[in-house]
């Protein structure tokens, strides 16, 4: 007879499954990050996490590790087991055949092809299924996958660094760029880049700072961070660091012709150039995101200058913001201040607000929309 009761220490084992899932960061995309733990008589008999190149799903790796010890075991997993045929067979069938007694899944799979069907198949086979343990953390872990699988557009996170009086740019000193935030904050930004499939900025930032826009976290990733530049007039210099380091990982959106001399020169240098429409000299951000979504990019981090920062908000393409503040007052004259919001700009309230410290700096994070109702 089934107990119909959630096992003791469920939170503990789900935390372990989530920790395993996080090991798939930058290795699982465009699939979700999933970790699985098999427990029998209070002892771990199998565990695993998914990587895209590894092909096998987390629960399959756990089952293979456990062998016959999987019979009668409880599976803790941060995402509902799949029931559809994809690159691999349905995991629900494997769990049923292995004699699993119970499945504790943090959240349903947002993939419309699964979305509760996996749990129903398991229950129909006599397996107990519990959901909701570690739900909040599990949703945040795979929020990019949720957005992409339901809209075919990437999750957009807008990141900016600024002083307490909202300056995003400081005057150069002796011709050199001045960082606004501390090394601790910049290290966190590279962790954010590592968790993203693409990073996007405007040509103004490139011309002013000549950035690399690379993931320098030192952590492994399956595919290079795609560096995306919005450049309506195709002014990207051939001697810029972006072009000189391009290895089919730099993508430029422009209104200029793809067969122009500049476009051909960039293409020869290893930069991909795509012509896209726009108005008033600005590119269509919705169309840019559509193209990135078609490339199976789950997440893109905007690291814009002041103008693109405002344009992204005005266009309504931002899902999430993370603003890094330094305990500094720039106090610059009005002529030197960055572009600020127009008087007719809409006020936007952030939800699920979180504040974190990084050295002397702090970051404010929140959502501009409910990604589960996007």
């Amino acid at each position: 007879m089934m107990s119909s009761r959630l096992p003791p220490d469920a939170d503990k084992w789900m935390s372990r499954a989530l920790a395993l899932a996080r090991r798939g960061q930058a290795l699982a995309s465009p699939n979700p990050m999933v970790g699985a733990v098999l427990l029998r008589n209070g002892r771990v008999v199998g565990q695993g996490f998914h990587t895209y190149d590894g092909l096998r799903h987390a629960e399959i790796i756990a089952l293979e590790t456990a062998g016959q010890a999987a019979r009668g075991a409880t599976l803790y997993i941060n995402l509902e087991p799949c029931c559809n045929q994809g690159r691999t067979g349905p995991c629900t069938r494997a769990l049923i055949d292995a004699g699993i007694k119970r499945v504790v899944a943090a959240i349903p799979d947002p993939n419309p092809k699964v979305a509760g069907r996996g749990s129903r198949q398991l229950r129909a086979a006599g397996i107990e299924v519990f959901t909701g343990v570690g739900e909040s953390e599990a949703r945040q872990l795979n929020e990019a996958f949720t957005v992409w699988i339901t809209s075919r557009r990437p999750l957009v996170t807008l990141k900016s660094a600024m002083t307490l009086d909202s300056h995003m740019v400081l005057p150069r000193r002796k011709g050199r760029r001045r960082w606004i935030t501390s090394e601790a904050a910049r290290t966190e930004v590279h962790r954010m880049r590592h968790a993203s499939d693409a990073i996007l900025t405007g040509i103004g930032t490139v011309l002013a700072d000549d950035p690399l826009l690379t993931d320098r976290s030192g952590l492994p990733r399956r595919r290079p961070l795609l560096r995306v530049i919005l450049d309506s007039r195709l002014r990207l210099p051939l001697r810029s660091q972006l072009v000189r380091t391009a290895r089919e990982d730099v993508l430029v959106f422009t209104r200029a012709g793809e067969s122009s001399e500049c476009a051909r020169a960039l293409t020869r240098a290893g930069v991909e150039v795509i012509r896209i429409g726009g108005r008033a000299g600005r590119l269509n951000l919705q169309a840019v995101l559509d193209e990135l979504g078609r490339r199976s990019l789950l997440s893109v981090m905007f690291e814009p200058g002041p103008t693109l920062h405002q344009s992204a908000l005005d266009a309504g393409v931002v899902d999430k913001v993370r603003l890094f503040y330094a305990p500094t007052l720039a106090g610059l004259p009005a002529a030197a201040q960055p572009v600020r919001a127009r008087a007719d700009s809409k006020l936007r309230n952030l939800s699920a607000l979180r504040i974190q410290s990084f050295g002397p700096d702090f970051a404010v994070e929140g959502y501009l929309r409910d990604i589960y109702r996007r």
Side-chain angles (χ1 to χ4, degrees):
M1 181 175 178
M2 291 195 175
S3 66
S4 298
R5 295 176 58 187
L6 190 65
D9 297 329
D11 289 332
K12 169 186 173 182
W13 298 114
M14 186 59 72
S15 292
R16 181 161 176 166
L18 284 160
L20 284 165
R22 281 190 289 272
R23 292 173 63 181
Q25 190 173 78
L27 300 174
S29 180
N31 286 352
M33 291 175 277
V34 183
V37 177
L38 273 174
L39 199 71
R40 183 177 179 185
N41 298 325
R43 183 174 66 89
V44 174
V45 295
Q47 63 181 23
F49 66 96
H50 175 66
T51 61
Y52 189 85
D53 289 342
L55 195 64
R56 295 172 301 165
H57 289 188
E59 50 268 60
I60 301 302
I61 296 172
L63 287 174
E64 291 176 353
T65 304
Q68 289 301 311
R71 188 160 298 276
T74 295
L75 172 69
Y76 292 88
I77 188 165
N78 61 296
L79 194 68
E80 173 188 9
C82 69
C83 57
N84 61 313
Q85 178 69 46
R87 294 197 307 155
T88 64
C91 291
T92 49
R93 185 73 262 166
L95 293 169
I96 293 167
D97 292 344
I100 295 298
K101 176 183 178 182
R102 183 186 298 113
V103 171
V104 181
I107 58 173
D109 193 328
N111 186 344
K113 294 180 179 179
V114 182
R117 289 178 55 222
S119 293
R120 288 195 293 273
Q121 283 190 12
L122 294 173
R123 290 189 177 107
I127 297 174
E128 287 184 305
V129 178
F130 297 90
T131 59
V133 178
E135 179 179 5
S136 178
E137 187 176 351
R139 284 187 183 276
Q140 185 174 30
L141 180 67
N142 277 311
E143 61 189 7
F145 175 76
T146 296
V147 169
W148 181 80
I149 201 66
T150 55
S151 70
R152 295 297 168 175
R153 288 185 181 177
L155 174 81
V156 174
T157 300
L158 177 64
K159 171 264 166 184
S160 291
M162 60 188 72
T163 62
L164 290 178
D165 47 353
S166 300
H167 290 270
M168 298 171 63
V169 180
L170 294 178
R172 291 177 178 269
R173 178 176 291 164
K174 296 182 180 179
R176 300 183 64 181
R177 178 184 180 184
R178 294 168 63 188
W179 294 105
I180 291 177
T181 52
S182 66
E183 184 177 348
R186 298 198 298 274
T187 297
E188 175 63 11
V189 169
H190 279 285
R191 190 205 63 77
M192 292 176 65
R193 288 183 181 182
H194 177 71
S196 302
D197 289 334
I199 181 171
L200 182 150
T201 195
I203 186 61
T205 296
V206 176
L207 295 176
D209 298 331
D210 191 23
L212 274 169
L213 299 180
T214 50
D215 169 9
R216 297 192 286 280
S217 66
L219 300 171
R221 59 184 307 131
R222 186 179 77 84
R223 50 185 178 179
L225 177 69
L226 183 65
R227 298 175 284 173
V228 181
I229 310 303
L230 304 186
D231 184 3
S232 60
R233 290 184 285 156
L234 210 55
R235 294 181 290 159
L236 181 62
L238 290 173
R239 295 303 302 164
S240 65
Q241 291 195 93
L242 280 165
V243 176
R244 287 189 287 115
T245 59
R247 300 293 183 272
E248 297 183 347
D249 61 348
V250 177
L251 173 61
V252 177
F253 288 98
T254 184
R255 297 183 69 188
E258 294 170 315
S259 60
S260 68
E261 183 178 342
C262 289
R264 291 198 301 269
L266 288 170
T267 300
R268 288 193 296 271
V271 175
E272 184 177 3
V273 178
I274 293 183
R275 189 174 188 274
I276 205 162
R279 289 193 303 177
R282 295 184 180 180
L283 298 172
N284 186 326
L285 289 176
Q286 296 282 0
V288 167
L289 293 175
D290 285 342
E291 175 59 29
L292 297 181
R294 278 192 289 272
R295 295 167 181 246
S296 297
L297 299 171
L298 306 190
S299 57
V300 55
M301 185 167 77
F302 279 33
E303 285 201 41
T307 301
L308 181 55
H309 178 106
Q310 189 62 50
S311 296
L313 292 174
D314 288 343
V317 300
V318 178
D319 298 296
K320 181 178 181 180
V321 299
R322 201 166 191 208
L323 308 177
F324 289 80
Y325 287 93
T328 303
L329 295 173
L332 301 177
Q337 291 182 9
V339 175
R340 294 184 181 273
R342 299 191 315 268
D344 62 349
S345 294
K346 294 180 180 178
L347 293 176
R348 302 167 180 85
N349 294 321
L350 298 180
S351 62
L353 200 66
R354 185 170 65 150
I355 300 176
Q356 293 177 287
S357 296
F358 298 97
D361 309 320
F362 67 94
V364 177
E365 177 183 278
Y367 295 82
L368 284 172
R369 71 172 107 223
D370 182 349
I371 64 173
Y372 296 95
R373 296 181 180 177
R374 181 179 170 127

